[in-house]
Amino acid sequence: MIRRSLLALCLAGALSVPAFAQDAPPPAPAAVRVVLETSAGTILVETDPRAPITAANFLRYVDEGRFDGTDFYRGMELGAGTGVVQGGTANAPDRILPPIAHEPTSQTGLRHVDGALSMARFDPGTADGDFFIIVGNLPGFDAGRAAPDDPGFAVFGRVVEGMDVVRAILAAPKSPTEGEGFMRGQMLDPRVRIVSARRAVPAG
C-alpha cells in the first residue's frame, strides 16, 4: 500500500510528461537558501549540491518565478506525525520545464529524513516542477529500499526553518472526494498557496 503511494507521487495533477529532457541545468552552487512564502506561513529551504541537477532545476523554477502562485495541494499522511506535503506546478503547461535526469539517493548519499526536499515523478527521468517535503523519517522513499533495483526519489535539499508550517499543511483539511484512486482524501481543501519563491538574501 505504501509502495503504491510512493510510485504515484507524480500523479497529483500530472497527466502527461514532456517527451524530452531539458539540456543539463547549470551546476548548482554550494547550498542555496530559498524562501517559500505561503498562505500558511514562511518556509525556508536549502538546496544540497550533492544533487546538482535536481537542485539546479529547482533554482531555475525559483529564478524564473514558475512557483509563484502555485500551491501545496496534497498532504499524504502515512502515520502519526509522518507523511508528505506536495506542491509545485501540477503540470501546468505554461509553467513546466522539460524533465530532468534522476539523481537517486544511492548516488547522492542524501536520505528521506524529516524536512527533506525531494522530487515528485513517474518514471525516473520524468521529474519537472513538482516537489515534496518529508515529515518524519521515510526511508522507504530511498533508492534500493523496496527492492534492490528500486530507483526511489531524488532528495535535493532540506527545510531549514518552518517545519511547523509544513506539519500544519500536512494536517490541514482534505477533500473527501477529490483525487484519483488511493489519492482520494489526500488533496488539500483549500489549497495552500505558494505566494512567492525567492532566493534568500544572505545575511550581512
Side-chain angles (χ1 to χ4, degrees), residues 13 17 26 36-38 40 43-44 51 57 60 67-68 89 95 104 107 135 137 140 161 180 201:
V17 176
L36 301 176
E37 294 289 355
T38 83
I43 305 169
L44 178 64
N57 178 68
R60 182 177 175 188
F67 288 137
D68 297 356
T89 59
R95 291 184 182 272
Q107 171 184 307
V135 179
N137 295 324
E161 296 175 5
E180 301 261 339
V201 178

Side-chain angles (χ1 to χ4, degrees), residues 1 4 8 25-26 41 53 60-61 75 81 96 111 118 120 145 160 182:
M1 179 67 72
R4 285 185 308 200
I53 294 172
R60 182 177 175 188
Y61 276 85
I96 59 171
R111 296 290 179 263
S118 193
R145 291 304 295 252
V160 177
F182 76 89

Side-chain angles (χ1 to χ4, degrees), residues 71-164:
D71 299 306
F72 283 108
Y73 51 80
R74 185 181 180 200
M76 182 172 67
E77 298 181 77
L78 296 173
T82 304
V84 167
V85 168
Q86 184 172 334
T89 59
N91 207 40
D94 59 338
R95 291 184 182 272
I96 59 171
L97 296 166
I100 57 172
H102 182 55
E103 292 180 301
T105 55
S106 55
Q107 171 184 307
T108 63
L110 299 170
R111 296 290 179 263
H112 287 89
V113 296
D114 190 48
L117 280 173
S118 193
M119 290 301 295
R121 63 164 180 78
F122 188 56
D123 295 321
T126 62
D128 45 49
D130 286 81
F131 63 94
F132 58 94
I133 301 173
I134 298 292
V135 179
N137 295 324
L138 294 173
F141 284 55
D142 293 339
R145 291 304 295 252
D149 60 350
D150 170 33
F153 293 86
V155 176
F156 64 93
R158 65 188 180 96
V159 173
V160 177
E161 296 175 5
M163 277 304 293
D164 56 331

